[in-house]
Amino acid sequence: MSEITQKPVFSKKTGFSADLLWTMGPIILALLLTTLALVAIGADPLKAYTTLWNGAFGSPEKLGSVIDAWVPLVFCSVGLLVTFTAGLWNIGIEGQIVMGAIGAAWVARTFDLPAEILIALMFIGGALGGAAWALLAGALKVYGRVHEIFGGLGLNFVAMGVTLYLIIGPWKRAGIASTSGTEPFRPAAWLLNFPGLTVGPVEIILAIISLALIYFALRGTLWGLQLKAIGKNARSAFWLGIPTSRHMLGAFAVCGVFAGLAGAEQASGVWARLIPAISGGYGYLAILVVLLSGFRAPLVPFVAFFFAAVSKGSISLPLDLQVDSALGGVLQGVVVLLFVLSQGVRAKWTQTLSS
Amino acid sequence: MRLELKHIHKHFGAVHANDDISIAVESGTIHGLLGENGAGKSTLMKILSGFIHRDAGEILLDGRAVAFKNPAEAIRAGVGMLHQDPLDFPPLTVLDNFLFGREDGFMQNRAGALADLQRFSRQFGFDLDPDALVSSLTVGERQQLEIMRLLSLGAKILIFDEPTTGISLPQKIKLFETLRLLAKQGMTIIFVTHKLQDAEDLCGKVTVLRLGKMTGQVTHPFTADQLVRLMFGQSLETRARASVALGEPILELRDICVADYRLRVPEINLQVRAGQVIGLAGIEGSGQRLLLRACAGLDQPVAGDIWISGARMNRQPYRDFLERGVAYLPAGRLEEGLVPGLNLTEHFILARRSREFFIDWRAAQDAAQSRIGEYSIRGVPASRVEALSGGNQQRALLALLQPNLNLILLEHPTRGLDIESTMWVWSQLLARRQRGAAIVFASADLDEIFEYSDRILVFSGGRVARALNAQETSVQQLGELIGGKGL
Amino acid sequence: MDTNFVILTFASILAESAPLVFAVIGETLGEKSGVTNLSLDGTILLSAMIGFAVAFTTNNLYLAFLAAMLVGALVASIVAFSSIVLKLDQIAVGFVLTLLCGDLSTFFGNPFVRKPGPAVPHFAIPGLAEIPVVGKIFFDQNIVVYLSVLLIFAAWWWIYKTRPGLKLQGIGERPAAAFARGVNVNAQRFIYTLIGGALVGFGGATYSLFVKLGWSYHHTYGIGWIALAIVIFGGWHPIRGALGAYIFGGLQSVSSFAQSAFTDVPTQVFQTAPFALMIIALLFVSNEALDRFFSGSPVSRKIWNSLRGTPPGALSTVFEQE
Amino acid sequence: APAPTATPVAKPITFGVVLVGPYNDHGWSEAHYTAAQYVKSKLPGSDFIYIDKLNPADRPGMTLEQVVNDMKSKGVRLILTTSDDFQTDTIAIAPKFPDITFINASGDSAWKDGKNYKDIKNLGNFMGKMEYMKMVAGCAAALSTQTGKMGFLGPLINDETRRLADAAYLGAKYCWTTYAKKNAADLKFDVKWIGFWFNIPGVTLDPTKVANDFFNAGNDVVISGIDTTEALVVTGQRQAKGEKVWAVSYDYKEGCNEAPNACLGVPYFNWGPAYLKTVKEFQAGTWKPSWDWNGPDWANLDNPDTGAVGFTFGKGLTDANKTTVQQFIKGLGDGSINLWKGPITLQDGTVYVKEGAVATDKEIWYLPQLLQGMTGQSAPTK
Ligand SMILES: Nc1ncnc2c1ncn2[C@@H]1O[C@H](COP(=O)(O)OP(=O)(O)OP(=O)(O)O)[C@@H](O)[C@H]1O
Ligand SMILES: Nc1ncnc2c1ncn2[C@@H]1O[C@H](COP(=O)(O)OP(=O)(O)OP(=O)(O)O)[C@@H](O)[C@H]1O
Ligand SMILES: [Mg+2]
Ligand SMILES: [Mg+2]
């Protein structure tokens, strides 16, 4: 399968206004298309967008829930920056989140410790769980020559199977065996939230640290440069003396760590138990975030925030307008699709201009 | 069919690849097209066969002006081209390949194609199994298939772009026989080469190109010296070689056997001492690349021992070879050496031996700048390698080599380079040799092999001859060995 | 197990695998031409939804299938355009489309959830259906099922027996060589990608109008990925690909029987099994050690290659005329 | 103009309804949605807002707490969480929102005698006595089957679903032996669980597939126990092919509509009265946490204003069988038939309710296994 096109979003040669045009163009066009979709189902677009906005920013609680979604998106995007740099399509990230949640849940169910230690251990457990699952996809790719898209995808479903097995098997609730989740963890395993909000300081700080860490690691270290070389041409990288297999496995593992952190955060901070589909779809969404960021770490938090706001804001659509909240997903998808297409158009455009 | 090319021009950006070329070829003759690398031979032939479009000029077939939009139109008009790397479908069968492009009905007319194929095979004495996969054929056999295919499509003008590079001597003899036969039947044949001998043997008339321009036309009989003068502007002299005192054995191969899925070359024995230059000669794909990669630690030999500076290196990882001062320069510069998308600075950082974890970009840039000057690479530290020209890419590859190397392995070190770059590359290599490095290189260019090797290892037909002393070997001898005689 | 049960199960597998067969053959055609359409999971969802919506509103099955095919072709045209004209990464575009089409199907499918609508009518072929065993399995189905079986052989026939089919193989293996022989590579790629997409769309409608009658949220989620994996498993060969689809259908049957047989194991584990097996199958077809082992002799290599199937040489690459 | 009424118009109220599936699923969630509309039409000044598909597969990352926050910001002070799936979250959230009243439908946390009692001031439960209607469903199935083999398409395994499957079996066995006068051992009753309340591709078994497998295996009646209507749809398709097969739908009064001729009937929930009572009490300020297990209105099963559960007869049931089923219903209603009377033997052979005894509410609610005579899993794992 083809290499990932990593064209920079902003080129140095053309001016800022041209960049703005090529960035805003797709967004405006996307809004136009979603407006059309709204008109098509007979909804009032203006009302829909206000509802979307209010759903995301209408109250401190809502802003809190946007940040609640922002955190796992950032974790996953950070991990994906690493695998994308190494030229890998880590679609298996969903399963890695799930395994992170399972790791954290195991810690929470096994140890009776003070909150600080327990939560730290849960994050470590989550990181290990995610990394292990990612390494499995990596090993399938490196040693088994199974393309990471299919290996990862299969493992996503397997991870789901494992969760369900645990929830209705060994970790089932006393008396009841329902797929709705395990017994809630002991309170020491719950992440502390800001008063009245569903999000707390620990996960926000952790997400910001992760982002900064990976930004500098990819930019300023030999490891980052080596990954970049592998991503662009693995054969040449190997020739240069870079241990390609080990680095690819490493990239998977690092991505797994961050996906696992997202999983641990979901298990501890959002659900306080293990549920099926605990990944929340954040892994797939984060792939879109990274694509729309043009693989650039500094843009990730903003794009992630936009995605989080749309995701959370769209929940108000059915409540207020009886419009399906999938509109949010449509908006996100159209924006990314048009952005990717516009990059191609732009490249073609400049090519025609120069020749 | 009589062919006339009149005042053909073609530009690639700044390069004037064809500059006012005019050639006339009578039917029933074999016309040679000669020139050094990059002279514009392929460009001209691609224009003639519809692959690319000329900027200016005229093409006349039997006096009628034509303009081909694509190769299919050219074939319909009777012009067919055989590419150096045959442009066929290796995963398909011989018959499928033969069928492909014939326009007779909706269904595959296999019976008709088979009859045609057999008729042509009988005519030329070719022997191809219609059901064999093309991937299992030799390059010579693939050429035979292409010839028959083009003839069956009604080609009257056949272009051969360096057809003798990848085939064995018996196959070459067979090919020449065929070409003469074709000419006798009234075909017009254009034969592109830079091998003087081939031109002498085969062509009634030869056009020589140099740097996009026509430098002359000669008719039989002509001498090799004439051609050389036209090709290079002057006749080349071999320079006297500085003698080097040989040092310790660096590389020892004991009964090495290298193999890939289609080739197996057993019993290679060789000792290379510091300061020695070994040339690997032979048709491309006879195992030279496999041996170089095995010596570099990139592939495992199937059997035998590799010793480097006194240490047995079997099954050691590639990086241990690097640690021991072994370097390999691959032929595919952007495929297996440089990383397209990264710039020169980044390449120099990656190639550094010291592996500091954090990158000091400013220092790295300065270092890159000085390295660029040292190797006279036309570029800046921020130049992406894919934007460099072939020669500068080769310079960049050389610049990535560590300063103190014991063994340098090179695959076609000067392929695609102009004379000046070629000289420069070798001056670099010879300087390293002075400093005690051993050099093993593979080349398709016999002149290069003769000029620089102390010893020559000839690969042919799955075997390797005993290393020859370059001084005591004649071209004739070498040619015969490559062709499989006396091995 | 009585024989009737076995016969009915086989008939069921044949019928229930029909949409997968359409999707696998469609994707095989596209990939054979060199274009990977990764959007299958979304395309199937969206075309299933549109197919049902059209059937529901017009009560016309022909229109419904036509609309679904148009949807499939439309999505495929985005993939084709972005890869052939814009030279973008096919995987990125395909993945985005996967998610986008899924959300579109939910958004526009809302009014049609669980509505009773028309279904593809059963049609036993007179005479043939009465043949013992075989008749019940093959000739007591409906038009769509017959079409799915016909399509397998039609695709095989097209690829390996006709002249355009030979061109199709060529543009996927070595576009430059095909170009040299007069094939308009990019136009052909466009057409095959569109035809492939249309077939995938037909498969989607086959779900909502027959196999999983009706429309609900995420009605066919996951099946597109299975189809993509089966294309690899089938070695880009229509008959082997179809076989893969039937094996998958069989596995699903097994997983519902297994619940009674293995009462200790949670049912969801069996539901996961096909995905785990998919990985194992891919591991098998792309295993280097097996590859080396069978490459020993030309004969075993030939057998192995024909068993395994190799991807088209130019899959997912861009063809640029000089 | 609105007719003047004797009762003073109460102050406007908006309550919230949280649905686990789509509001238009023709099943469990739609039954709740219909009840909310019933309240709106019966109680002037009342309105509701709802969120549907609140499950991790359809709304990944969306928690009940976020929904409650959202509803709260719209002034909602009474929220009905309408699935067993919400019980855990409702218990966890209710104490955080003391100013909001929660009702969890199908839960048992407000049942003082129950196993899961939690003393939460603002959380109540109600549930309908669906087991009686499942008995009716079983009866209709037993009278209609030609092969004596029927399948029960179950969701996930828990107290409620075991209870309902067992009830269906008890009804079937009774009618099979009493009315059809056949041997109990000849009745085959196979239970398959898909793993969740409705199909989640990749997670649950596909109910379409399972229903087909049931028929392939020789069953000719499938009793649906899941929230959605796949079993009926499949049955309709197979009937159109000429097969003699039937289905019993579930949950929603109009649940036969998707394939009327294949439908023997629907045991359905009529949540309206319970909703109305709760909203009125809430409005009046008299609401107190309670666990209500509401039965049918035996006098008129289809009265929308009374019973909590009912049964719609389907076109697939012959007139003769319909008469018999009605006779059975009458017996259940007047107490002459009590299928909870012992002996009731569990699947593993232990006697659960002794000869002569009658099962208590608690015994019925917490039925631990399938019953002897049924095949299928009783518990997810041993
Ligand atoms: N581009 C390449 N060209 C040739 N061979 C390669 C290439 N990439 C990987 N290999 C082969 O794959 C094998 C494993 O690669 P790699 O060494 O990157 O492993 P590693 O795990 O990073 O190194 P080590 O195990 O020594 O720490 C090597 O033996 C090498 O021959
Ligand atoms: N597609 C192209 N784009 C840009 N430059 C090109 C292209 N093809 C050829 N050139 C340039 O045109 C010049 C002539 O190239 P050409 O391939 O015709 O040489 P040649 O005589 O065939 O050399 P060789 O003996 O190495 O095959 C070279 O400088 C080459 O770099
Ligand atoms: Mg290794
Ligand atoms: Mg050339």
Side-chain angles (χ1 to χ4, degrees), chain B residues 133, chain C residues 240 294-295 297-309:
Chain B
L133 292 182
Chain C
R240 260 184 295 149
F294 286 109
S295 298
S297 86
V299 177
S300 69
R301 185 164 82 233
K302 200 164 174 179
I303 295 171
W304 169 242
N305 278 341
S306 69
L307 252 179
R308 188 181 60 138

Side-chain angles (χ1 to χ4, degrees), chain B residues 41-42 84 161-162:
Chain B
K41 309 182 292 287
S42 297
Q84 187 176 340
D161 193 358
E162 300 187 30

Side-chain angles (χ1 to χ4, degrees), chain D residues 165 174 178 221 230 244 256 297 310 372 379:
Chain D
Y174 180 86
T178 312
V221 181
E230 284 90 343
K244 287 196 161 48
C256 273
D297 177 359
Q372 200 168 53

Side-chain angles (χ1 to χ4, degrees), chain B residues 12 15 17 35-44 84 162 194 416, chain C residues 322:
Chain B
F12 291 112
V15 179
E36 59 180 325
N37 289 135
K41 309 182 292 287
S42 297
T43 303
L44 187 66
Q84 187 176 340
E162 300 187 30
H194 33 210
Chain C
E322 280 185 79

